[in-house]
């Protein structure tokens, strides 16, 4: 199993996840790193995750306020997961995770 990193906020300060789409294998971990323009969080869209996955269990409770703060989650269920940053959802800060 491996860990894939996703930046929260582009180096240029844009309100995006980088990369906007990542593909991992079952059992891999995604590590989100607060980069720029925080605070950020990771909230999965309950209408855009595989059946049987608990949206609240895989989403963050809090927000990452400091650059370098991280959030990690292991994914064991294959499928496509849509997620967004709650404070910046209106700015289009959303991304896709594919678990194979």
């Amino acid at each position: 199993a491996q860990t894939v990193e996703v930046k929260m906020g582009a180096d240029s300060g844009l309100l995006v996840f980088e990369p906007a789409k990542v593909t991992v294998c079952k059992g891999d971990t995604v590590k989100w790193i607060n980069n720029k323009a925080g605070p950020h969080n990771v909230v999965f869209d309950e209408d855009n995750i595989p059946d049987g996955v608990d949206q609240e269990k895989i989403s963050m409770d809090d927000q990452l306020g400091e650059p370098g703060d991280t959030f990690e989650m292991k994914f064991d269920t294959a499928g496509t997961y849509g997620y967004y940053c709650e404070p910046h959802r209106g700015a289009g800060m959303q991304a896709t995770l594919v678990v194979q």
Side-chain angles (χ1 to χ4, degrees):
Q2 63 176 344
T3 299
V4 176
E5 294 184 351
V6 176
K7 287 183 184 177
M8 305 167 83
D11 290 342
S12 64
L14 288 175
L15 296 172
V16 294
F17 289 101
E18 280 192 341
K21 183 175 182 180
V22 292
T23 301
V24 300
C25 297
K26 282 170 49 174
D28 284 352
T29 298
V30 178
K31 179 179 183 179
W32 286 271
I33 304 168
N34 192 17
N35 187 35
K36 298 269 179 132
H40 298 302
N41 65 0
V42 174
V43 178
F44 285 87
D45 184 343
E46 62 186 323
D47 296 326
N48 193 12
I49 57 176
D51 288 343
V53 174
D54 184 342
Q55 182 262 349
E56 290 186 11
K57 188 176 172 190
I58 61 173
S59 295
M60 288 178 65
D61 292 330
D62 302 317
Q63 296 178 2
L64 302 179
E66 297 299 317
D69 287 351
T70 63
F71 169 68
E72 292 186 31
M73 183 58 57
K74 181 179 171 188
F75 293 88
D76 294 317
T77 303
T80 300
Y81 297 72
Y83 65 92
Y84 57 89
C85 170
E86 202 165 30
H88 302 118
R89 189 177 194 183
M93 188 169 175
Q94 58 193 20
T96 304
L97 167 67
V98 178
V99 180
Q100 296 180 330

